[in-house]
Amino acid sequence: MKNTYKNGQLTLIVLKTEQKTYVAACEELCILVEHKDREHAVLEMLANAKKYLKNIISDRLGEHLLNQSLPEEFYNELANTMQTKKLKNLTQKIESLSDMLRRSKKTLQRDLYSF
């Protein structure tokens, strides 16, 4: 969907960085805000987006400014973060399964010795 002066849709992405800060990004407006606090990053990004939209519309600037993309580096960092989270979740699941197997093995051994 292309954004116009009359209607549109914005995408908000929040990314936690390795430095423990948060980057709030608006994809269509190419606005990025970094802050130590997640909520502050989001609120500041929304305030900046509101100002940006008012200026674009009031000055009748090109609608292409309402349909931009974030820098490729941001998407790469987002992909890396998502991959890292998936690996952490997978590792936790494997550890949990291993623990369950160890407990089951102990229970089975105990049951076998009781015969």
Side-chain angles (χ1 to χ4, degrees), residues 56-74:
I56 296 289
I57 293 167
S58 67
D59 294 345
R60 300 296 285 174
L61 300 175
E63 286 185 347
H64 70 282
L65 296 172
L66 303 174
N67 299 285
Q68 301 182 61
S69 294
L70 294 167
E72 188 175 331
E73 294 84 13
F74 180 83

Side-chain angles (χ1 to χ4, degrees), residues 10-53:
L10 300 178
T11 306
L12 171 67
I13 303 169
V14 180
L15 173 67
K16 187 174 183 179
T17 68
E18 291 178 3
Q19 294 78 26
K20 308 293 186 225
T21 62
Y22 293 89
V23 176
C26 178
E27 185 172 28
E28 295 78 6
L29 304 180
C30 196
I31 297 174
L32 295 146
V33 173
E34 185 174 13
H35 201 282
K36 292 179 203 173
D37 181 72
R38 183 180 191 276
E39 187 175 340
H40 280 90
V42 169
L43 291 173
E44 190 175 327
M45 197 287 305
L46 291 172
N48 288 344
K50 186 176 179 179
K51 289 177 199 172
Y52 183 87
L53 289 169

